[in-house]
Amino acid sequence: MSSPEKLGDRAARGIAWITGQSVFSRFVSYFAQLAVAWFLTREDFGLFGMALTISEFSRVFNQGGVSKVLVHRQKGYRNWVTPGLWLSLTMGLLVSASMVFIGYFACTWFQVDEPNKLFLLVCILAVSAPIAAVGTIPRALLLIQLRFRELALLSSVLLVVSALVKVSLAYAGYGAFSLVIPMVLSTVLQSLFCWYLAKPEIKLKLMINKWRYL
């Protein structure tokens, strides 16, 4: 077991990494938005805003705080990681379905000029819900292990990649899709790399009887 001094040092370094990553993310995001705004129209931002509103309304129910429970119960993490994964995946799929369902009717309610494009934007965002839900499990393990450095570096790299893809798509004329596609891409890459770094041991058994405790 790590000594209190060593844990304190690791926590301090973790705070430094997270703070640095936060400052870096704001810097990159600011200039990326300026570049994207040069190529997109007000209509593109309007469609993106409506699609994001629809997706965020459903995303509130995603994951259900499973990752926080896992971090809180870190001593018995191995007992909860499998039911936590299947519960998160189930909730992610339900959220994804609800996004598509709400988006289908919202496209009519909003009376936008391009309802089909808005619905497609919502569908693309819906893909990220189950992927993000699955990614919360290995990320919780990385937090338990105080691996803030890896998390901060991963977030910074993904932010730069996302910004480059966003600006490139906007320049190529993809309109509102240039704002949505990088979000899904970032979610996929983050989940993949978190699984690669954490390598949680998952069983195929759903363990539904434990879901209510999460």
Side-chain angles (χ1 to χ4, degrees):
M1 181 178 292
S2 300
S3 62
E5 292 78 14
K6 188 174 182 180
L7 286 175
D9 291 341
R10 292 182 67 183
R13 288 195 297 269
I15 293 174
W17 276 104
I18 296 299
T19 302
Q21 189 274 328
S22 178
V23 173
F24 178 75
S25 65
R26 283 169 171 73
F27 178 81
V28 174
S29 298
Y30 176 75
F31 286 100
Q33 285 299 107
L34 286 180
V36 169
W38 184 266
F39 300 110
L40 300 187
T41 64
R42 294 176 61 181
E43 289 73 18
D44 293 328
F45 282 107
L47 282 173
F48 171 71
M50 286 185 284
L52 196 62
T53 300
I54 296 170
S55 66
E56 288 301 318
F57 178 78
S58 301
R59 202 185 299 269
V60 170
F61 303 99
N62 199 15
Q63 303 162 23
V66 173
S67 61
K68 295 181 180 178
V69 175
L70 292 176
V71 173
H72 181 70
R73 301 177 182 177
Q74 53 186 277
K75 291 183 178 179
Y77 178 87
R78 294 180 182 276
N79 298 323
W80 299 103
V81 61
T82 294
L85 170 67
W86 296 119
L87 175 59
S88 293
L89 178 58
T90 300
M91 297 184 68
L93 291 172
L94 291 175
V95 168
S96 180
S98 68
M99 283 187 194
V100 175
F101 179 78
I102 295 174
Y104 177 79
F105 291 99
C107 290
T108 303
W109 297 337
F110 285 148
Q111 296 183 349
V112 295
D113 294 332
E114 299 177 285
N116 293 333
K117 181 181 289 188
L118 176 59
F119 181 63
L120 183 55
L121 290 170
V122 173
C123 290
I124 294 174
L125 287 172
V127 172
S128 65
I131 299 174
V134 171
T136 60
I137 303 305
R139 191 174 190 280
L141 179 55
L142 293 175
L143 289 173
I144 291 173
Q145 297 172 345
L146 301 180
R147 297 170 68 177
F148 300 111
R149 178 175 176 271
E150 287 92 335
L151 287 171
L153 287 174
L154 177 59
S155 297
S156 298
V157 171
L158 291 179
L159 182 66
V160 172
V161 171
S162 179
L164 291 175
V165 173
K166 185 186 299 183
V167 174
S168 299
L169 291 176
Y171 174 77
Y174 281 82
F177 292 97
S178 61
L179 299 173
V180 171
I181 294 176
M183 294 176 63
V184 179
L185 176 63
S186 179
T187 301
V188 172
L189 293 177
Q190 184 175 41
S191 295
L192 287 175
F193 279 106
C194 281
W195 274 86
Y196 173 77
L197 293 172
K199 297 180 176 64
E201 298 179 4
I202 302 297
K203 299 178 181 178
L204 295 179
K205 190 175 181 180
L206 299 182
M207 298 184 182
I208 298 178
N209 59 316
K210 291 187 176 182
W211 287 15
R212 58 179 177 173
Y213 299 111
L214 293 170

